[in-house]
Structures are given as structure tokens and as C-alpha cells.
Amino acid sequence: MAGTAPERIVIENCAIATVDAEDTEYATGHIVVADHVIESVGPGAAPEGLQHVVRRVDGTGHLATPGLVNTHHHFYQWLTRGLAQDCNLFNWLVTLYPVWARIDEEMVYSAAQGSLGMMARGGVTTAMDHHYVFPRGSGDLLGAEIRAAREMGVRFTAARGSMDRGESHGGLPPDFAVETLEVALAETEAAIDTHHDASFGSMLHIAAAPCSPFSVTTELLREAAVLARRKGVRLHTHGSETVEEEKFCHELFGMGPTDYFESTGYLGADVWMAHCVHMNDSDIAAFARTGTGVAHCPSSNARLAAGIARVPDLLAAGVPVGLGVDGTASNESGELHTELRNALLINRLGRHRENALNARQALRLGTFGGAQVLGRAAEIGSLENGKLADLVLWKLDGIGHSSIADPVAALVFGAAAPVTLSLVNGKTVVEDHHLTTVDEDAIARGTRDQAQRLARIAAGAS
């Protein structure tokens, strides 16, 4: 009803890392949430005389941060964790594509529940998924993911992926798991028309996302870029992930991945790419010049022996960089908050060594950097008045963190911190490290059963 006074949640007595433009922090402060937006954030106690306070939270021993923003994932892979353990990317894909080609709607819904649940428990408030496997007759796979995200209550960017280069045309996926150019474009447009909500505070965005240079044709990349810009949505794909991809692009297109993407119109401020491990100075300059973003996936890059992305150089050039879990068949933990630590540590193995990243830069990657990459920096990614109430209260007074005086260092360098409270759009999705909107035990049983069903089906088809 118009004119109804907002209901307020007041959080006090906590350390706060706002991740605003000045990296403002408070040793002890307050946050006031009014309905779905942040009304007040600052030092000390909350303002006196607040009306319609429905909840007060004592944040003593906690750190409040913006909710984490995941910028790259493949939910369906929750059902194939722990397989192909000692493979590089191409061998891993060749091993698993025949299994993935047997997924159906029931499996994808269950896998999305598992993936979303694990992320939400670990402080993710905005999830993203890149789904590109659409076997014929498998049902509404994108719709299954959207339904799971809506039920869990997380903000979601669903990247409608596609592949049109099967084995018979030099690609890696089986032919029956790819679409034609016409079908891929039509289904992507239908997904945008049906689901995309561009309004402030939207819980659901759709992006156009052909899979990778070695699984899609040049025509699909080019036409997807035209479609996305006509519809006003963002573009996503995998880029420069491995040395094998670099070789593939030179052999097939006569140029490296970045030059190839630019030739198809697939660089720009409305584009972000996953991995971007093998980039030279010219590639980084092209990303900076065009405003193209990067989803950095440190654990997955290590799991598949892809290499160390040049994150310090990307940031120095002004490239937007966020963090990604990536699929849980190459990052079995399925958590993003552990990527804060892994991003910092792995990048310190590169040529910048101890100067590569610090704790606050890592936190920025996982929050505001992710919001930039997804095109939502005006809404989420920092704790500021008027922004959406997506925030996390991390418990840091337990055995794993209590002796670290710097709360941001405790969160990033320390063990995975428990989430006492996570709000999305001002609504509770996690309380005392447990999901509040769905049944965790039922999800665990469901994902186990669907993983076993997929294994049986794939074994019978081999």
C-alpha cells in the first residue's frame, strides 16, 4: 500500500567493511535496513527514535560486509563432483561431456538447489549461472534453475548459454548435446523476453552466453552479441582459460582469443568473461579499453592446472574483476567465500609475489568487483545508503578467528567464517549458518539421488 511505513531491521555493535569507494570501515557501527534497502550505515549506535523496528541484531564479535557476488558458475555440475580428478580442461571436458549430455530438468533443479544452497550458506547473496548444455528433450533447464533461485531467495543472473559446434564440426561436446544456430538464438531471445527484469532491485537478470570458442561457431558469437545489445542484456562466455584454447584459436581463426572475440563484437562494457588466465599485455589493454570484465576463478584454475590469471595487472589497467566459484566439477567445495582467500594466496605465487593482492582487495573482488562485472554496481556490492539490503554478518569471535585483531584479515586469511545472518533484499536467507528458506537435508538427499541417477543413465548410454 502506498505510504506504508517501512519495516526496519537494526544491526549494531559490529565491525563494518562498507567496500565503498573510500573503503570506509568502522570498528563498531550500525546498519539500518528499511524494507529492501539500506537506510543508514555508520559508526556507533543506530539513530534514536526509529519507527517500525521489527528486529534488532546484536553484532558483537561480528564483521558486516556486502553480500558476496558470484560471477561464474555451472550449477548442473553439482551432480558430477569428484570425477576426472587429474585432467586438464580439454581432457576433463572430453571425459564429462558424455555424462552432462544426459541431464534433464529434474537433475538440473536439484543441482541448482545444491549449488545455490552451498553458496548462500557461505555469504553469497547474488548468484550467477552459465548453463549451456541443453540435450534434446531434457525439459526446461533454465526454468529449473530460476525456480530454485526464487525459492531460496537469492538474487540471480541466469546466463542462457549455448553450443552449436559438436564433435562432427571439430567441437568437444557430443552432437546431440548442441543446438543449431537458429535454435540457440531463438531460445536465448525467448529466455530474455520471458524472464529478464531490468528494474531497480530486480531479483532476476538474463544474459546471453555462448559457451566458448571451441564449442560455438563464429556466427553464434557474432549474432548473440547483436541479440544481447538489441535486448539490452549483458554478454558472457569463457575466454583465454588454457594454453590449449590459445592454440586452438590460432589454428582455427589465425589469432588469439581476445583478438578473435573483438573481431566478433564480443568485447565491451556489457561483456564479462570467465577465467582470462592466458592474457598478454595487448589482451589486457583491449579489455581495459573496452571495459570488458573478468570472472576470476582461482580454485577452478588450479584444479584444472590452467594457470594463474594476471589479476594484479588486470586491476592496475582498470579492468573490472569479480570472483567466480565455477562449476563444482572443478571446484568441489562450491563456495565463494573460500575464493577470497584462494584469490589472494594464488596470486601471490605469481610475479607480483606479496604485493599481488591484499585482504581488502580480495574482499572487493568478491563484492563490489562482482557487482561491477554483472552490471549492478549501482544497486549492490557495497554497504551504502540507498543500496539494496544484501549483506552478511560473519561470526569472528570463535576459535577460528578470535585472535586476529583485523576483522577483514580474519575473514580473508582465516578459516571459512560462519555466517550468522545473511539478508537478500532485506529478507533473511541464512541464520546461524543454516538456510532459512529451504530444507538443507532434503537438498542433500535430492542431489545424492539425482547424481546417482545421472551416473546410471550415463553408464547405460556408454
Side-chain angles (χ1 to χ4, degrees):
M1 179 183 297
T4 300
E7 294 186 340
R8 291 182 171 88
I9 298 173
V10 177
I11 302 170
E12 295 178 294
N13 306 320
C14 57
I16 301 173
T18 68
V19 200
D20 64 8
E22 291 75 36
D23 271 331
T24 305
E25 296 181 13
Y26 304 108
T28 180
H30 72 272
I31 302 168
V32 179
V33 171
D35 288 340
H36 67 287
V37 299
I38 296 171
E39 184 177 66
S40 173
V41 56
E48 296 289 337
L50 293 173
Q51 301 296 310
H52 303 285
V53 175
V54 296
R55 183 175 184 188
R56 288 188 177 271
V57 179
D58 181 1
T60 301
H62 291 74
L63 170 68
T65 72
L68 301 184
V69 179
N70 183 32
T71 62
H72 185 65
H73 213 311
H74 307 296
F75 290 171
Y76 73 91
Q77 292 181 14
W78 189 265
L79 304 184
T80 56
R81 294 192 297 167
L83 304 180
Q85 296 175 20
D86 304 310
C87 292
N88 64 24
L89 175 67
F90 274 27
N91 292 335
W92 178 83
L93 289 171
V94 169
T95 300
L96 292 176
Y97 265 137
V99 181
W100 296 336
R102 306 295 171 179
I103 60 174
D104 60 25
E105 184 174 342
E106 187 178 6
M107 294 177 191
V108 170
Y109 172 70
S110 182
Q113 286 186 307
S115 298
L116 288 162
M118 202 66 187
M119 283 190 292
R121 279 174 27 124
V124 169
T125 55
T126 296
M128 175 273 175
D129 191 63
H130 183 194
H131 189 88
Y132 53 83
V133 181
F134 293 92
R136 295 173 196 137
S138 55
D140 183 5
L141 305 188
L142 196 72
E145 296 190 330
I146 291 170
R147 176 161 54 101
R150 183 176 61 247
E151 291 170 353
M152 198 158 295
V154 299
R155 212 174 296 281
F156 187 37
T157 293
R160 206 291 178 180
S162 52
M163 301 186 293
D164 69 338
R165 187 194 295 275
E167 286 178 313
S168 63
H169 291 88
L172 295 180
D175 285 347
F176 66 85
V178 304
E179 300 170 298
T180 65
L181 170 67
E182 295 75 17
V183 168
L185 292 172
E187 291 297 327
T188 300
E189 185 163 9
I192 296 167
D193 290 343
T194 303
H195 298 294
H196 183 66
D197 175 7
S199 66
F200 180 84
S202 165
M203 295 296 289
L204 178 60
H205 281 188
I206 303 295
C211 182
S212 64
F214 47 84
S215 61
V216 307
T217 61
T218 300
E219 292 76 15
L220 180 52
L221 275 176
R222 185 177 291 120
E223 292 302 318
V226 171
L227 169 64
R229 286 167 183 142
R230 174 164 57 85
K231 291 290 185 178
V233 301
R234 298 180 76 77
L235 287 154
H236 182 57
T237 192
H238 298 87
S240 301
E241 185 172 358
T242 66
V243 292
E244 291 84 6
E245 179 189 334
E246 178 88 15
K247 180 181 178 182
F248 178 93
C249 287
H250 276 285
E251 289 178 350
L252 202 62
F253 311 121
M255 63 187 87
T258 299
D259 289 337
Y260 172 62
F261 283 126
E262 187 154 31
S263 75
T264 66
Y266 220 92
L267 294 186
D270 54 356
V271 180
W272 85 103
M273 295 192 195
H275 303 293
C276 299
V277 175
H278 297 277
M279 298 182 73
N280 58 33
D281 291 346
S282 176
D283 297 329
I284 292 174
F287 271 54
R289 169 172 47 81
T290 58
T292 305
V294 171
H296 176 45
C297 306
S299 291
S300 178
N301 293 343
R303 161 74 151 86
L304 296 175
I308 302 173
R310 296 174 59 184
V311 172
D313 297 325
L314 289 164
L315 294 174
V319 176
V321 181
L323 293 181
V325 172
D326 202 9
T328 47
S330 63
N331 179 0
E332 276 75 2
S333 79
E335 297 178 310
L336 191 70
H337 63 315
T338 53
E339 297 303 274
L340 301 175
R341 184 174 192 264
N342 291 342
L344 184 150
L345 297 181
I346 288 175
N347 279 280
R348 288 190 178 188
L349 295 175
R351 66 186 181 89
H352 293 279
R353 301 181 64 186
E354 68 273 15
N355 296 316
L357 289 177
N358 61 40
R360 282 156 179 83
Q361 287 175 306
L363 178 59
R364 179 168 289 273
L365 289 178
T367 53
F368 189 79
Q372 285 183 297
V373 165
L374 296 185
R376 306 203 68 167
E379 301 172 279
I380 60 173
S382 60
L383 300 179
E384 301 181 73
N385 294 358
K387 281 201 167 184
L388 299 172
D390 294 8
L391 60 90
V392 179
L393 203 58
W394 308 89
K395 181 177 172 59
L396 298 180
D397 58 358
I399 188 172
H401 307 88
S402 62
S403 60
I404 304 176
D406 177 352
V408 175
L411 178 67
V412 174
F413 281 98
V419 172
T420 292
L421 180 68
S422 178
L423 301 180
V424 181
N425 229 33
K427 298 179 180 178
T428 303
V429 295
V430 177
E431 185 102 40
D432 294 330
H433 201 50
H434 290 289
L435 302 170
T436 62
T437 55
V438 293
D439 185 335
E440 292 182 26
D441 292 337
I443 291 174
R445 292 190 298 270
T447 55
R448 177 199 61 205
D449 293 346
Q450 292 302 319
Q452 293 174 351
R453 186 167 76 89
L454 175 58
R456 290 194 301 269
I457 291 170
S462 62

